[in-house]
Amino acid sequence: MASGVKPRVKVPKSASAGEVVTLKTLISHPMESGQRKDKDGSLIPRSIINRFTCDFNGQNVIDVKMEPAISTNPYFEFEALVPEAGEFTFTWYDDDGSTYTDTKPIEIV
Amino acid sequence: LTVLPFRANASVDDLIAEFTGGADLADSGVDLTAPEIAENGNTVPISVDAPGASEILVLAAGNPTPAVATFAFGPLAGSRMASTRIRLAGTQEVIAVAKLEDGTFARAAKTVKVTIGGCGG
């Protein structure tokens, strides 16, 4: 596991039923591209997060396939439809097999 | 003796053909927002928006590996828009190809001038 991986997400606390809300996610990760060389000139092996998903109450919002061209500390901003109160689940999949998840509840007002 | 051509990286055309199955690409239907000039190629903000798209493929034609990301929108996607930050090795064209729900495809491209490359070569 890459060290110090910490997901951060920004989700509104509440929405009205059927509202579209903007979600922002950031995860600290070096996203080693596999193109860089160390000081001895040998390639540093690729080690990235290769997939990101966001679901709401078990239904998918977005599913992103990520390549090494995604910047260090991957950031995503997108919109979700909130039909009811519930919980967003954010999942990041690392090349090394680790997964990182974060969840955020949202209320209906 | 036959030597099979070995290519570590699929080309942009191959990646688009794989995504579209060889279908024609319309010139409108997808918006790609990217800066004209990026001082730092390590983190270039881009945004794609294609109303009615089920998937959007993003490519950077001048990177060592052109694939950047593929956004697939689920039933609870509030729009067909997404923003992220990408690496660009140098001045080049960024390409977005959207798969629309009617089965057609649309393409947009934008040239980004990069002052400092982002692949640490």
Side-chain angles (χ1 to χ4, degrees), chain A residues 7 14 20 26-27 35 46 54 65 73 84 97-99 104:
Chain A
S14 63
V20 170
L26 185 69
I27 187 164
Q35 302 286 342
R46 163 182 152 157
C54 171
K65 180 172 178 255
N73 304 335
E84 70 230 353
S98 328
T99 59
K104 282 278 188 261

Side-chain angles (χ1 to χ4, degrees), chain B residues 11-36:
Chain B
S11 76
V12 169
D13 289 346
D14 290 347
L15 288 166
I16 292 176
E18 192 185 314
F19 184 70
T20 62
D24 287 342
L25 300 170
D27 288 334
S28 65
V30 56
D31 278 334
L32 169 67
T33 310
E36 246 170 68

Side-chain angles (χ1 to χ4, degrees), chain B residues 12-113:
Chain B
V12 169
D13 289 346
D14 290 347
L15 288 166
I16 292 176
E18 192 185 314
F19 184 70
T20 62
D24 287 342
L25 300 170
D27 288 334
S28 65
V30 56
D31 278 334
L32 169 67
T33 310
E36 246 170 68
I37 298 176
E39 281 187 11
N40 182 354
N42 276 308
T43 174
V44 181
I46 62 143
S47 174
V48 288
D49 186 0
S54 54
E55 280 186 63
I56 303 176
L57 170 75
V58 180
L59 303 171
N63 272 4
T65 56
V68 173
T70 309
F71 299 94
F73 299 97
L76 288 185
S79 66
R80 307 306 156 107
M81 180 278 286
S83 304
T84 187
R85 296 172 188 151
I86 69 171
R87 291 173 173 147
L88 296 176
T91 297
Q92 61 179 286
E93 198 172 45
V94 178
I95 301 161
V97 180
K99 180 183 189 178
L100 305 174
E101 270 158 1
D102 62 6
T104 63
F105 292 86
R107 176 187 187 275
K110 197 154 183 203
T111 300
V112 180
K113 277 189 178 175

Side-chain angles (χ1 to χ4, degrees), chain A residues 22 25 30 34 36 55:
Chain A
T22 300
T25 72
R36 293 200 315 146
D55 296 280

Side-chain angles (χ1 to χ4, degrees), chain A residues 1-70:
Chain A
M1 181 190 278
S3 60
V5 175
K6 186 173 185 291
R8 269 176 289 174
V9 299
K10 199 169 175 189
V11 175
K13 284 193 171 57
S14 63
S16 51
E19 191 180 337
V20 170
V21 297
T22 300
L23 309 180
K24 295 178 183 180
T25 72
L26 185 69
I27 187 164
S28 53
H29 193 284
M31 294 290 282
E32 192 58 61
S33 67
Q35 302 286 342
R36 293 200 315 146
K37 289 174 179 162
D38 64 16
K39 60 181 189 299
D40 303 322
S42 37
L43 275 182
I44 304 170
R46 163 182 152 157
S47 175
I48 68 164
I49 293 172
N50 57 50
R51 185 177 171 214
F52 164 72
T53 62
C54 171
D55 296 280
F56 182 73
N57 290 352
Q59 278 205 288
N60 183 250
V61 176
I62 198 166
D63 188 334
V64 187
K65 180 172 178 255
M66 299 160 64
E67 306 285 350
I70 298 292

